[in-house]
Amino acid sequence: MHSFWLRANAVLTFSVIILAFTCAMASVSDCFNSPSPSAQIQITNINWFQKQRNGNEEVSLAMNITADLQSLFTWNTKQVFVFVAAEYKTPKNAVNQVSLWDAIIPAKEQSKFRVQTVNKYRFIDQGSNLRGKDLNLTLHWHVMPKAGMMFADKLVIPGYRLPKEYR
Ligand SMILES: *[C@@H]1O[C@H](CO)[C@@H](O)[C@H](O)[C@H]1NC(C)=O
Ligand SMILES: *[C@@H]1O[C@H](CO)[C@@H](O)[C@H](O)[C@H]1NC(C)=O
């Protein structure tokens, strides 16, 4: 009996060590994988613009998002959360970030895509800064691994300017 528990304990300890080692290797191998995703985001139309009663401005956009995120996927990738945001400066804030669209990509096979969409989340400015505003369109990703640390990064597509006048 005594030796059984001793042995069971040894087996358990050994498998915990193997598990820890595997997890460590999984995250280390992720560190050596330097991903190189690519993306294009085009605003294809300004659908409408409105000034709310409280003075805040809102705009509705149509966009084409093309991305190749295949290199984010390794054998250790569980899923990738991706979102597109508009980032711009205002007198109040150095960076305003408004999320426009997002998705969860469960597999490498779905990580090269083209989406034609209107903004999924409302693009509202807490003020009246949207007319003629220069903004960066950004594609952010959060890679959720099976083991190890989550990591996040983004691509910046600078140089979009909202129209000065709206019909
Ligand atoms: C946006 O995507 C659609 C469908 O893929 C395509 O027909 C259209 O030409 C694209 N527009 C621009 C401006 O690239
Ligand atoms: C937009 O992108 C440019 C170039 O990457 C950067 O210098 C600038 O700070 C960005 N603006 C905002 C508001 O993030």
Side-chain angles (χ1 to χ4, degrees):
M1 202 58 189
H2 176 79
S3 78
F4 170 78
W5 285 114
L6 215 58
R7 182 177 300 219
N9 190 37
V11 168
L12 188 65
T13 308
F14 184 66
S15 36
V16 168
I17 289 170
I18 292 284
L19 191 65
F21 181 73
T22 311
C23 289
M25 286 314 289
S27 359
V28 167
S29 75
D30 274 356
C31 295
F32 288 119
N33 171 47
S34 58
S36 51
S38 63
Q40 279 110 45
I41 306 166
Q42 291 159 312
I43 307 288
T44 54
N45 193 37
I46 303 289
N47 300 324
W48 48 260
F49 171 87
Q50 70 172 10
K51 204 165 177 68
Q52 299 176 332
R53 228 166 296 166
N54 59 16
N56 290 349
E57 290 179 341
E58 175 173 9
V59 68
S60 165
L61 312 163
M63 57 193 164
N64 277 6
I65 306 163
T66 314
D68 182 350
L69 308 180
Q70 292 181 98
S71 65
L72 294 176
F73 282 81
T74 67
W75 61 274
N76 189 35
T77 307
K78 193 169 164 210
Q79 61 182 27
V80 173
F81 172 69
V82 60
F83 71 95
V84 167
E87 295 178 5
Y88 59 98
K89 291 188 180 70
T90 55
K92 264 195 190 158
N93 300 306
V95 182
N96 297 270
Q97 185 189 69
V98 182
S99 179
L100 301 177
W101 177 88
D102 65 9
I104 289 170
I105 303 165
K108 187 173 186 172
E109 292 68 43
Q110 281 125 285
S111 64
K112 191 174 175 183
F113 58 87
R114 162 173 271 236
V115 184
Q116 200 179 3
T117 182
V118 297
N119 53 301
K120 182 169 162 187
Y121 303 108
R122 297 175 74 179
F123 187 172
I124 299 174
D125 180 64
Q126 305 298 321
S128 50
N129 299 294
L130 294 184
R131 269 175 275 206
K133 176 57 72 182
D134 286 313
L135 49 88
N136 290 343
L137 295 165
T138 54
L139 183 97
H140 297 248
W141 57 86
H142 292 233
V143 178
M144 293 161 203
K146 290 176 181 150
M149 300 268 288
M150 191 185 90
F151 74 94
D153 206 347
K154 66 172 177 179
L155 272 173
V156 180
I157 297 131
Y160 182 77
R161 180 175 291 170
L162 286 168
K164 276 207 177 68
E165 312 269 342
Y166 295 89
R167 278 176 289 133

